[in-house]
PDB file of all heavy atoms in Angstrom:
ATOM      1  N   GLU A 443      15.731 -11.434  -2.724  1.00  0.00           N
ATOM      2  CA  GLU A 443      15.008 -12.690  -2.526  1.00  0.00           C
ATOM      3  C   GLU A 443      15.947 -13.680  -1.844  1.00  0.00           C
ATOM      4  O   GLU A 443      16.965 -14.076  -2.408  1.00  0.00           O
ATOM      5  CB  GLU A 443      14.576 -13.244  -3.889  1.00  0.00           C
ATOM      6  CG  GLU A 443      14.087 -14.668  -3.867  1.00  0.00           C
ATOM      7  CD  GLU A 443      12.571 -14.779  -3.681  1.00  0.00           C
ATOM      8  OE1 GLU A 443      11.894 -13.798  -3.972  1.00  0.00           O
ATOM      9  OE2 GLU A 443      12.124 -15.847  -3.237  1.00  0.00           O
ATOM     10  N   PRO A 444      15.642 -14.081  -0.609  1.00  0.00           N
ATOM     11  CA  PRO A 444      16.552 -14.997   0.087  1.00  0.00           C
ATOM     12  C   PRO A 444      16.572 -16.389  -0.545  1.00  0.00           C
ATOM     13  O   PRO A 444      15.572 -16.823  -1.110  1.00  0.00           O
ATOM     14  CB  PRO A 444      15.975 -15.065   1.495  1.00  0.00           C
ATOM     15  CG  PRO A 444      14.577 -14.609   1.370  1.00  0.00           C
ATOM     16  CD  PRO A 444      14.468 -13.746   0.164  1.00  0.00           C
ATOM     17  N   SER A 468      10.800 -29.313  24.400  1.00  0.00           N
ATOM     18  CA  SER A 468      10.903 -28.525  23.168  1.00  0.00           C
ATOM     19  C   SER A 468      12.371 -28.395  22.792  1.00  0.00           C
ATOM     20  O   SER A 468      13.203 -28.022  23.627  1.00  0.00           O
ATOM     21  CB  SER A 468      10.285 -27.147  23.401  1.00  0.00           C
ATOM     22  OG  SER A 468      10.239 -26.449  22.187  1.00  0.00           O
ATOM     23  N   ARG A 474      13.887 -24.761  13.681  1.00  0.00           N
ATOM     24  CA  ARG A 474      12.456 -24.797  13.966  1.00  0.00           C
ATOM     25  C   ARG A 474      12.237 -25.437  15.322  1.00  0.00           C
ATOM     26  O   ARG A 474      12.882 -26.453  15.640  1.00  0.00           O
ATOM     27  CB  ARG A 474      11.712 -25.634  12.917  1.00  0.00           C
ATOM     28  CG  ARG A 474      11.411 -24.905  11.657  1.00  0.00           C
ATOM     29  CD  ARG A 474      10.345 -25.610  10.855  1.00  0.00           C
ATOM     30  NE  ARG A 474      10.669 -27.023  10.618  1.00  0.00           N
ATOM     31  CZ  ARG A 474       9.824 -27.876  10.055  1.00  0.00           C
ATOM     32  NH1 ARG A 474       8.623 -27.491   9.710  1.00  0.00           N
ATOM     33  NH2 ARG A 474      10.177 -29.124   9.843  1.00  0.00           N
ATOM     34  N   GLN A 497       1.338 -20.395  12.806  1.00  0.00           N
ATOM     35  CA  GLN A 497       2.744 -20.668  13.137  1.00  0.00           C
ATOM     36  C   GLN A 497       3.227 -20.079  14.457  1.00  0.00           C
ATOM     37  O   GLN A 497       4.431 -19.830  14.608  1.00  0.00           O
ATOM     38  CB  GLN A 497       3.660 -20.221  12.001  1.00  0.00           C
ATOM     39  CG  GLN A 497       3.447 -21.012  10.734  1.00  0.00           C
ATOM     40  CD  GLN A 497       4.744 -21.406  10.091  1.00  0.00           C
ATOM     41  OE1 GLN A 497       5.737 -20.679  10.163  1.00  0.00           O
ATOM     42  NE2 GLN A 497       4.771 -22.557   9.482  1.00  0.00           N
ATOM     43  N   VAL A 499       4.286 -20.596  18.329  1.00  0.00           N
ATOM     44  CA  VAL A 499       4.931 -21.767  18.934  1.00  0.00           C
ATOM     45  C   VAL A 499       3.974 -22.356  19.982  1.00  0.00           C
ATOM     46  O   VAL A 499       3.549 -21.654  20.903  1.00  0.00           O
ATOM     47  CB  VAL A 499       6.274 -21.381  19.584  1.00  0.00           C
ATOM     48  CG1 VAL A 499       6.945 -22.609  20.187  1.00  0.00           C
ATOM     49  CG2 VAL A 499       7.189 -20.728  18.548  1.00  0.00           C
ATOM     50  N   PRO A 529      -6.945 -23.970  14.356  1.00  0.00           N
ATOM     51  CA  PRO A 529      -5.965 -24.694  13.525  1.00  0.00           C
ATOM     52  C   PRO A 529      -6.639 -25.632  12.513  1.00  0.00           C
ATOM     53  O   PRO A 529      -7.468 -26.456  12.902  1.00  0.00           O
ATOM     54  CB  PRO A 529      -5.151 -25.498  14.542  1.00  0.00           C
ATOM     55  CG  PRO A 529      -5.253 -24.730  15.793  1.00  0.00           C
ATOM     56  CD  PRO A 529      -6.634 -24.138  15.798  1.00  0.00           C
TER      57      PRO A 529
ATOM     58  N   ARG B1245       6.778 -14.217  13.730  1.00  0.00           N
ATOM     59  CA  ARG B1245       6.229 -15.470  13.207  1.00  0.00           C
ATOM     60  C   ARG B1245       4.844 -15.255  12.618  1.00  0.00           C
ATOM     61  O   ARG B1245       4.574 -15.589  11.467  1.00  0.00           O
ATOM     62  CB  ARG B1245       6.103 -16.493  14.342  1.00  0.00           C
ATOM     63  CG  ARG B1245       7.349 -17.274  14.593  1.00  0.00           C
ATOM     64  CD  ARG B1245       7.026 -18.702  15.053  1.00  0.00           C
ATOM     65  NE  ARG B1245       8.205 -19.518  14.849  1.00  0.00           N
ATOM     66  CZ  ARG B1245       8.580 -20.010  13.691  1.00  0.00           C
ATOM     67  NH1 ARG B1245       7.855 -19.821  12.625  1.00  0.00           N
ATOM     68  NH2 ARG B1245       9.685 -20.700  13.574  1.00  0.00           N
ATOM     69  N   TRP B1260       6.271 -14.598  -1.717  1.00  0.00           N
ATOM     70  CA  TRP B1260       7.443 -13.707  -1.831  1.00  0.00           C
ATOM     71  C   TRP B1260       7.575 -12.846  -0.569  1.00  0.00           C
ATOM     72  O   TRP B1260       8.668 -12.675  -0.019  1.00  0.00           O
ATOM     73  CB  TRP B1260       7.263 -12.836  -3.084  1.00  0.00           C
ATOM     74  CG  TRP B1260       8.402 -11.920  -3.345  1.00  0.00           C
ATOM     75  CD1 TRP B1260       9.609 -12.252  -3.880  1.00  0.00           C
ATOM     76  CD2 TRP B1260       8.453 -10.514  -3.062  1.00  0.00           C
ATOM     77  NE1 TRP B1260      10.405 -11.133  -3.958  1.00  0.00           N
ATOM     78  CE2 TRP B1260       9.727 -10.060  -3.465  1.00  0.00           C
ATOM     79  CE3 TRP B1260       7.538  -9.611  -2.520  1.00  0.00           C
ATOM     80  CZ2 TRP B1260      10.099  -8.728  -3.339  1.00  0.00           C
ATOM     81  CZ3 TRP B1260       7.914  -8.288  -2.394  1.00  0.00           C
ATOM     82  CH2 TRP B1260       9.186  -7.861  -2.794  1.00  0.00           C
ATOM     83  N   ARG B1263       8.931 -14.931   2.388  1.00  0.00           N
ATOM     84  CA  ARG B1263      10.391 -15.158   2.334  1.00  0.00           C
ATOM     85  C   ARG B1263      11.154 -13.867   2.598  1.00  0.00           C
ATOM     86  O   ARG B1263      12.186 -13.870   3.266  1.00  0.00           O
ATOM     87  CB  ARG B1263      10.777 -15.726   0.969  1.00  0.00           C
ATOM     88  CG  ARG B1263      10.365 -17.170   0.759  1.00  0.00           C
ATOM     89  CD  ARG B1263      11.042 -17.772  -0.462  1.00  0.00           C
ATOM     90  NE  ARG B1263      10.703 -17.070  -1.694  1.00  0.00           N
ATOM     91  CZ  ARG B1263       9.586 -17.258  -2.387  1.00  0.00           C
ATOM     92  NH1 ARG B1263       8.694 -18.124  -1.965  1.00  0.00           N
ATOM     93  NH2 ARG B1263       9.352 -16.604  -3.504  1.00  0.00           N
ATOM     94  N   ARG B1266      10.981 -12.974   6.352  1.00  0.00           N
ATOM     95  CA  ARG B1266      11.734 -13.887   7.207  1.00  0.00           C
ATOM     96  C   ARG B1266      13.214 -13.971   6.834  1.00  0.00           C
ATOM     97  O   ARG B1266      14.008 -14.482   7.614  1.00  0.00           O
ATOM     98  CB  ARG B1266      11.128 -15.285   7.133  1.00  0.00           C
ATOM     99  CG  ARG B1266       9.779 -15.356   7.808  1.00  0.00           C
ATOM    100  CD  ARG B1266       9.303 -16.773   7.948  1.00  0.00           C
ATOM    101  NE  ARG B1266       8.127 -16.828   8.813  1.00  0.00           N
ATOM    102  CZ  ARG B1266       7.568 -17.946   9.235  1.00  0.00           C
ATOM    103  NH1 ARG B1266       8.066 -19.097   8.857  1.00  0.00           N
ATOM    104  NH2 ARG B1266       6.519 -17.915  10.019  1.00  0.00           N
ATOM    105  N   ARG B1381      12.191 -21.994  21.431  1.00  0.00           N
ATOM    106  CA  ARG B1381      11.639 -23.275  21.896  1.00  0.00           C
ATOM    107  C   ARG B1381      10.405 -23.058  22.764  1.00  0.00           C
ATOM    108  O   ARG B1381       9.605 -23.968  22.945  1.00  0.00           O
ATOM    109  CB  ARG B1381      12.688 -24.027  22.716  1.00  0.00           C
ATOM    110  CG  ARG B1381      13.853 -24.531  21.892  1.00  0.00           C
ATOM    111  CD  ARG B1381      14.926 -25.078  22.786  1.00  0.00           C
ATOM    112  NE  ARG B1381      15.341 -24.071  23.765  1.00  0.00           N
ATOM    113  CZ  ARG B1381      16.173 -24.296  24.772  1.00  0.00           C
ATOM    114  NH1 ARG B1381      16.691 -25.488  24.940  1.00  0.00           N
ATOM    115  NH2 ARG B1381      16.503 -23.337  25.617  1.00  0.00           N
ATOM    116  N   SER B1384       4.462 -19.391  22.697  1.00  0.00           N
ATOM    117  CA  SER B1384       4.273 -17.939  22.510  1.00  0.00           C
ATOM    118  C   SER B1384       3.261 -17.368  23.499  1.00  0.00           C
ATOM    119  O   SER B1384       2.424 -16.533  23.132  1.00  0.00           O
ATOM    120  CB  SER B1384       3.801 -17.658  21.087  1.00  0.00           C
ATOM    121  OG  SER B1384       4.575 -18.353  20.148  1.00  0.00           O
TER     122      SER B1384
END
Side-chain angles (χ1 to χ4, degrees):
Chain A
E443 167 92 21
S468 187
R474 278 197 307 173
Q497 295 224 327
V499 181
Chain B
R1245 274 213 161 281
W1260 182 77
R1263 287 193 299 279
R1266 290 190 170 187
R1381 291 172 304 173
S1384 313

